[in-house]
Amino acid sequence: MGIGRMGRKLRAYNLVKTLFVLVALAVSACHREVAMPPLPLRNIALTDKFFDVWPTSPTRAFIVGDRGKVLLTEDGGRTFKRIDIGTQLGVFGIQMTDDQNGYLCGQDGLIMRTRDGGKTWKRLDSRTHLFIFGLSFPDANHGFFVGDRALVESTTDGGESFVKRQLQKLFPPELADYALPYEEPVLYSASFTDVDHGWVVGELGRIWATENGGKSWNEQQQSLLPQWKREPGINDDKRFLDFLLPTFFSVSFRDQKHGAACGLEGWVIQTDDGGKTWNFAHQADKPGAAPDSLVPGASQIPARDPLFSIDLFGGDQGITTGLTGTVLRLQPNGAWAHDPSVPALPFPLSQARFFDAQHGWIVGYGTILYTADGGKTWHFCQG
């Protein structure tokens, strides 16, 4: 009996063991059958921060952003290719001077150059670790970079060497102690129409212009002071009233005479004489509507969105973008109207650039938009 019971136990144990092995094999076989390949890495995510875009043709464009991200599309945003530039530093600006040559700039004094159409990028010795926010190249060899602490760097040999300077107002000795809050303003944007004529804008309403390739510079914001009707605050020093203008983040010139800039308090300024005089431009709720009658500097409720980018293109076109998806287009009467054709997005829109009157791009936080019909419709690029 004992032996028989033991035999039955052994057979039952072996049966359970066999069933366990068969189940394990079946489960593993099922896992092998339903195994899925890893999901492809998306080139565009809501967490991305895109800062600039530069189109080189109606359908080809580079987009740059946070953590060294550089994308290239050659089919109008249907597909994107990620380019490894060998750094995780944020890239704030990019410009291609032709199909093969281009430059980018960013954090920690980052300046890089491509000579092969953007396939590879080489870091150049910028001689600084300051953030570089903007750049402008009128040709492949002559360029200007602007950034933190009033930084301006220029090159005449395609980045082989740089001349570095601080572009700021020099105060007389008797004002030196009082002028400390106004020293070394951040410079955000530059626009050169040729190797001689260029403009730089930045913090505290700074506008600088050169007519000799950066050998000398002149301030241009003085014409805005009578138009800015904000009363100085209790702690504002009236000896520095021209430093109480709003910060300008972006500037764009279509030729030596016609330019525009935009900035912190949502105002656009314009010039038709190369910056000898600047004027605050009015805005409208929609295209065709009458311009508003707001007084520059007066209290506004609700406050306007800051405007981060401006691009003048074609013979008479212009676009500017801002904080909560704001997009304004230049109207024939000189006002800037809110553009209802752009999808309503609650994200900061960092930059807009058009290749020509029909083909353009808008980039921002988690956003890349493309138009092929002059902005009548916009395509949301999925990557």
Side-chain angles (χ1 to χ4, degrees):
M1 288 291 292
I3 295 175
R5 287 196 296 270
M6 184 176 294
R8 287 195 296 274
K9 288 182 179 179
L10 288 173
R11 286 196 298 272
Y13 172 78
N14 288 332
L15 178 61
V16 171
K17 183 178 179 180
T18 300
L19 290 174
F20 177 80
V21 171
L22 290 174
V23 169
L25 289 173
V27 170
S28 63
C30 289
H31 277 224
R32 285 196 297 273
E33 289 176 4
V34 300
M36 299 292 290
L39 292 174
L41 180 64
R42 294 186 64 86
N43 287 316
I44 304 173
L46 288 176
T47 54
D48 280 323
K49 298 175 183 176
F50 298 114
F51 298 126
D52 201 2
V53 56
W54 193 272
T56 62
S57 81
T59 58
R60 186 173 186 266
F62 290 88
I63 293 98
V64 299
D66 198 21
R67 300 181 182 178
K69 196 162 193 176
V70 177
L71 301 179
L72 171 64
T73 179
E74 300 185 280
D75 54 13
R78 286 190 290 273
T79 61
F80 289 85
K81 174 186 176 183
R82 183 162 184 175
I83 299 174
D84 183 6
I85 63 171
T87 181
Q88 293 292 306
L89 295 172
V91 181
F92 299 137
I94 185 171
Q95 181 179 345
M96 299 295 292
T97 58
D98 53 46
D99 286 342
Q100 297 300 310
N101 298 284
Y103 302 83
L104 57 77
C105 62
Q107 291 179 313
D108 193 34
L110 179 68
I111 295 179
M112 303 188 81
R113 180 184 66 198
T114 181
R115 293 295 196 217
D116 57 10
K119 296 176 184 177
T120 60
W121 292 81
K122 174 185 177 182
R123 184 162 186 176
L124 306 178
D125 183 10
S126 67
R127 301 171 55 213
T128 184
H129 291 284
L130 297 175
F131 282 25
I132 302 176
F133 293 112
L135 72 165
S136 183
F137 273 73
D139 63 28
N141 291 317
H142 295 80
F144 294 81
F145 298 85
V146 297
D148 202 9
R149 299 185 63 179
L151 174 70
V152 174
E153 292 208 8
S154 60
T155 180
T156 59
D157 53 15
E160 295 299 318
S161 62
F162 291 95
V163 174
K164 185 170 64 172
R165 68 178 299 168
Q166 283 185 302
L167 190 57
Q168 62 175 337
K169 186 172 183 177
L170 297 179
F171 298 97
E174 63 270 18
L175 291 180
D177 291 340
Y178 305 98
L180 290 176
Y182 311 108
E183 292 181 346
E184 300 182 342
V186 182
L187 301 176
Y188 288 109
S189 179
S191 179
F192 274 73
T193 57
D194 55 46
V195 296
D196 290 321
H197 298 85
W199 292 261
V200 169
V201 300
E203 193 179 18
L204 305 173
R206 299 300 88 193
I207 306 174
W208 293 89
T210 180
E211 296 180 350
N212 54 17
K215 295 181 178 67
S216 62
W217 296 83
N218 298 305
E219 290 183 284
Q220 288 192 336
Q221 71 278 351
Q222 293 90 345
S223 59
L224 294 172
L225 299 181
Q227 304 171 52
W228 190 247
K229 301 301 183 180
R230 180 167 303 167
E231 290 295 325
I234 190 172
N235 294 319
D236 292 330
D237 193 325
K238 294 184 179 180
R239 292 172 295 182
F240 302 96
L241 288 180
D242 63 331
F243 284 85
L244 303 181
L245 291 167
T247 289
F248 297 119
F249 292 128
S250 183
V251 61
S252 176
F253 272 73
R254 71 172 90 248
D255 53 45
Q256 290 183 23
K257 297 295 185 182
H258 301 89
C262 64
L264 185 61
E265 298 196 23
W267 284 93
V268 175
I269 60 171
Q270 299 176 156
T271 180
D272 295 324
D273 58 10
K276 294 181 177 62
T277 58
W278 289 86
N279 295 287
F280 287 95
H282 289 284
Q283 298 181 15
D285 291 334
K286 59 182 179 180
D292 62 36
S293 58
L294 294 178
V295 176
S299 298
Q300 302 170 33
I301 300 176
R304 285 176 171 172
D305 276 352
L307 298 174
F308 299 136
S309 80
I310 196 163
D311 182 37
L312 300 184
F313 59 95
D316 58 359
Q317 299 292 304
I319 188 171
T320 179
T321 63
L323 180 62
T324 58
T326 297
V327 180
L328 308 178
R329 290 291 296 268
L330 178 60
Q331 304 300 299
N333 62 3
W336 292 76
H338 289 264
D339 190 345
S341 66
V342 180
L345 301 169
F347 308 124
L349 299 179
S350 310
Q351 186 68 60
R353 291 195 195 276
F354 273 70
F355 176 76
D356 54 29
Q358 296 299 311
H359 302 87
W361 300 84
I362 296 175
V363 301
Y365 283 29
T367 304
I368 299 177
L369 300 172
Y370 173 69
T371 182
D373 57 11
K376 296 176 183 176
T377 59
W378 291 86
H379 170 65
F380 193 88
C381 302
Q382 301 291 327

